[in-house]
Structures are given as C-alpha cells and as structure tokens.
C-alpha cells in the first residue's frame, strides 16, 4: 500500500496520445481513480474479451505474460 500511495503522490497525470498536458492530482483524487479502475477490473476480469495485466506479474514473468497478451490480441 505504501508503494501505491507513493506512486499517487509522485506521478505526473495526464500523459496520453491525444494531449501532452500533465498535472498533479491530490491523493484523494488519485485514490478515487484507483478505486474506480479496481472496481472496473474486478467487474470485467472474467469477460472473454478482457485480459488484465498486473504490473508485478509482468515484471516477474515478462516473457510468459507478454506471450499471453500477444495471443489474446
């Protein structure tokens, strides 16, 4: 949990393909974004057209998970 909060505090938000504008978010705003995304991932995780990628798992097994993602695509 400490890593998650640290990431929220230190992250620059807003990077995207459509806009180069970045900004800081408050911890409560970042927590709300995390909460909404966690809820969405939980709700959709068993759908056949959804492939979730957990960062820690990708770091631990990059080849295996990269192949699984490529097969899914």
């Amino acid at each position: 949990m400490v890593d998650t909060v640290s990431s929220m505090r230190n992250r620059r938000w807003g990077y995207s393909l459509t806009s180069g504008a970045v900004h800081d978010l408050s911890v409560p705003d970042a927590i709300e974004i995390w909460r909404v995304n966690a809820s969405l991932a939980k709700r959709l995780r068993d759908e056949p057209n959804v492939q979730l990628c957990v960062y820690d798992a990708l770091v631990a097994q990059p080849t295996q998970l990269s192949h699984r993602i490529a097969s899914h695509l």
Side-chain angles (χ1 to χ4, degrees), residues 1-10:
M1 182 57 98
V2 172
D3 291 338
T4 301
V5 174
S6 175
S7 174
M8 289 175 182
R9 290 182 51 97
N10 297 318

Side-chain angles (χ1 to χ4, degrees), residues 42-58:
K42 183 178 177 184
R43 183 169 52 90
L44 296 176
R45 69 178 172 212
D46 296 324
E47 293 294 320
N49 60 339
V50 172
Q51 177 68 50
L52 295 179
C53 180
V54 178
Y55 178 78
D56 291 339
L58 183 61

Side-chain angles (χ1 to χ4, degrees), residues 3 6 12-13 18 20 22 28 31 35 37 41 44 58 64 66 70-71:
D3 291 338
S6 175
R12 299 290 293 169
W13 296 81
T18 60
V22 294
I31 289 171
R35 188 195 65 73
N37 283 290
L44 296 176
L58 183 61
Q64 179 184 355
S66 294
S71 293

